[in-house]
Amino acid sequence: AASVGDVARQLQLKTEWHLLDTGDEFAEPCELRTSAFGVARFEFSDGRLALGPNSRVVWEGTRLDVKHGQVVLFLKEGAASWIVEALHARTEVAAASECEIEIVSGHDSKSVVGRVLSGVAKTRWQAGTEREVRSKAFRWEFSTGEFSESELPKRDSGNEVLKRKRQQDIAQL
């Protein structure tokens, strides 16, 4: 895979971290981490992977183990499915799909939040029931293993954003 962004790589546990430069190629398995302000993108033959700021992920073949932070995985048509694990949630992302998985820490709790932006993913908590999710958001509560699903938020078009900005500017006159 080739990298673009602010990321360090560790080949084995408790070894030195090495910064990756834009365009560096590397082999997995490895652990990757981004800085608090960094976003990293990786291109590979079957798709793309993005890591959000302050993320740590173990990448091995078609398996990602999210230790902290956020990943967005896009798989091309015909790609093998990938497994994304985070806390006790296991999500299988199918070919021709885009899925975002994030570990969210609250005051007293942690959750795994996912968004199937396109295509399909199957998710489950520990050895529980598998759920198929298509173009929706989902959440697993760490303390209870409770599952919830919701519609994805609608995205504003650029014109709607500009229109709202103009209305705000006029209101301030």
Side-chain angles (χ1 to χ4, degrees):
S3 70
V4 176
D6 183 15
V7 65
R9 167 187 55 114
Q10 185 180 46
L11 292 176
Q12 294 177 348
L13 189 62
K14 297 184 181 178
T15 61
E16 201 172 310
W17 287 94
H18 299 279
L19 290 175
L20 291 175
D21 287 325
T22 299
D24 277 357
E25 293 203 10
F26 65 93
E28 25 72 30
C30 64
E31 185 168 356
L32 302 167
R33 71 176 185 189
T34 56
S35 71
F37 301 104
V39 174
R41 292 181 300 279
F42 302 91
E43 300 279 336
F44 53 95
S45 61
D46 287 340
R48 296 184 304 273
L49 171 66
L51 304 181
N54 205 27
S55 294
R56 276 182 91 157
V57 177
V58 175
W59 182 350
E60 186 171 353
T62 57
R63 184 180 162 277
L64 300 170
D65 186 359
V66 181
K67 304 294 186 186
H68 191 267
Q70 172 193 44
V71 300
V72 180
L73 177 64
F74 166 78
L75 296 176
K76 296 177 183 176
E77 185 74 39
S81 61
W82 280 50
I83 301 297
V84 180
E85 294 179 339
L87 298 175
H88 295 295
R90 180 184 185 274
T91 302
E92 181 179 352
V93 181
S97 298
E98 185 172 11
C99 188
E100 174 184 339
I101 303 289
E102 180 176 12
I103 296 176
V104 177
S105 297
H107 178 66
D108 290 346
S109 66
K110 284 188 175 184
S111 302
V112 174
V113 175
R115 292 170 197 84
V116 180
L117 304 171
S118 64
V120 63
K122 295 177 183 174
T123 187
R124 70 180 170 164
W125 189 257
Q126 294 178 334
T129 305
E130 188 172 78
R131 315 269 182 145
E132 186 173 276
V133 181
R134 294 178 181 270
S135 299
K136 290 197 172 187
F138 63 89
R139 178 183 208 96
W140 289 107
E141 291 297 329
F142 180 72
S143 60
T144 63
E146 184 178 313
F147 176 82
S148 60
E149 194 174 66
S150 62
E151 296 298 320
L152 291 173
K154 295 197 182 325
R155 293 186 178 180
D156 288 335
S157 73
N159 290 338
E160 291 168 346
V161 172
L162 289 174
K163 183 178 176 181
R164 245 193 331 273
K165 174 79 171 113
R166 271 190 239 115
Q167 290 171 340
Q168 290 171 349
D169 291 344
I170 290 169
Q172 291 177 353
L173 294 177

